[in-house]
Amino acid sequence: MASMPQFDLSAPASYSDYVPDLLGEGFEQLTITPDDSPDYEGPVVSTLVRHLAEGPSTRAVLYVHGFNDYFFQRELALNYGAHQFNFYALDLRKYGRSIRSHQRPNNVRDLREYFHDLDAALARVRAEGNTTIVLSGHSTGGLIVSLYMWYRKAKAGVAAMVLNSPFLEMHQPWLLRKFGIPMMKRLGARWPDMALKANLSPIYGESLHRSFQGEWDYNLDWKPNRVFSMNAGWLRAIRWGHAQVRRALGIEVPILVLHSDRTARRGHREDVFETDVVLNVAHIRELAPWLGTRVTTHALEGAIHDVFLSREKVRAEAYRVLFEWLGRVLPLPTAQLGVA
């Protein structure tokens, strides 16, 4: 198998000025041109979205979305702000706000390509006066930020991690995982742009968006119900990431892993609002301890794949668990310690 490319993560990125973001009042965005631009498709950018806390704070969270996704969760940002965290979200290259016309959405050949985006985003978050930083990721974003922390180790300058249903294993039948996926991964080394059929049902997206059966509003061009096509290079990159997790990442900062208590039966709609219909939660339970040395897992009864998009009662419980955990693992801000 061809070796994975190495990356120089020390070069700087360039940043635009902040402009108002599409999420409305209090939300701003800037464009990051990372140091590895252009790539094999042409120029790449990522987008940093900001919502500041209700009062002065040196605490921040940087959130990374999942596959077929982008940041649109205003409620998540507002809850962090109410708990005195400056909130930042990163639309990775070729996702959401960062997609450009010459690019195939989500197209990646090595997950370490995203490390340039994370390096640049964290540098900006620190430059804005934040000294205690939480790194958070949902689904594929959870896999990416975990690999980033393993690869960057203490240099990342992150105090804690919050993972929302991290994508640590393929939720596919055993035969496909054992034989079909390894074959497609090998093809990805030679033909990374070869298109693969996305074997994902639209029922999850339909359960979320308000124009179908859900309560959330977002851009269906950036997060379609029938997910963007994937390619063999993407699959190879994902399976490389999964292999690193199974070797144990050994991340040393505290990690909170939130997930549903149940996975839906494949193809069934009856419990789409109360279970994870995307990933197998048994894989999350099994593999989460391999992420680091201080991992806390919490299964939320009735949660869906993105636990913070669950029904109101469930996500209220998710926020309670989240902020109680952060209160335990993070040092108090200087102002709360009574230090001038």
Side-chain angles (χ1 to χ4, degrees), residues 5 7 106 333:
F7 296 105
N106 309 359

Side-chain angles (χ1 to χ4, degrees), residues 138-159:
H138 167 56
S139 197
T140 302
L143 174 63
I144 291 166
V145 300
S146 297
L147 295 169
Y148 178 81
M149 288 295 293
W150 157 71
Y151 200 84
R152 294 295 273 152
K153 298 182 170 54
K155 294 179 182 178
V158 168

Side-chain angles (χ1 to χ4, degrees), residues 148-326:
Y148 178 81
M149 288 295 293
W150 157 71
Y151 200 84
R152 294 295 273 152
K153 298 182 170 54
K155 294 179 182 178
V158 168
M161 297 177 65
V162 175
L163 306 180
N164 170 4
S165 303
F167 178 27
L168 306 180
E169 180 56 272
M170 307 293 292
H171 181 29
Q172 298 292 343
W174 182 85
L175 275 174
L176 183 58
R177 284 191 287 123
K178 187 71 174 178
F179 299 105
I181 290 175
M183 179 185 69
M184 291 183 282
K185 187 183 81 169
R186 287 194 293 272
L187 292 173
R190 186 165 184 178
W191 296 290
D193 292 326
M194 184 180 70
L196 302 176
K197 182 179 179 181
N199 186 26
L200 297 172
S201 168
I203 62 172
Y204 179 59
E206 292 171 359
S207 74
L208 296 178
H209 200 276
R210 65 166 57 168
S211 63
F212 296 90
Q213 303 165 6
E215 62 177 291
W216 307 102
D217 189 20
Y218 50 82
N219 187 334
L220 286 169
D221 290 330
W222 293 346
K223 183 177 172 64
N225 293 340
R226 291 200 174 274
V227 304
F228 292 115
S229 65
M230 55 191 73
N231 56 39
W234 176 88
L235 180 63
R236 180 172 179 262
I238 291 292
R239 294 307 281 168
W240 171 82
H242 289 164
Q244 308 318 306
V245 172
R246 286 190 175 275
R247 294 187 181 103
L249 300 186
I251 298 167
E252 295 182 354
V253 303
I255 304 172
L256 174 65
V257 178
L258 299 171
H259 60 83
S260 178
D261 64 327
R262 291 188 299 135
T263 293
R265 292 183 295 161
R266 182 169 291 277
H268 287 258
R269 293 175 176 265
E270 68 270 16
D271 47 6
V272 67
F273 297 103
E274 297 179 351
T275 63
D276 191 328
V277 299
V278 178
L279 295 181
N280 187 336
V281 299
H283 293 153
I284 301 175
R285 291 191 191 102
E286 173 196 355
L287 294 168
W290 293 92
L291 296 174
T293 59
R294 302 167 63 188
V295 179
T296 301
T297 59
H298 189 96
L300 291 154
E301 183 178 357
I304 64 172
H305 178 54
D306 186 336
V307 301
F308 294 109
L309 299 181
S310 303
R311 287 174 169 167
E312 184 176 4
K313 181 179 179 181
V314 178
R315 63 183 190 264
E317 174 65 7
Y319 285 124
R320 183 194 67 78
V321 172
L322 167 63
F323 291 113
E324 285 189 0
W325 181 83
L326 287 172

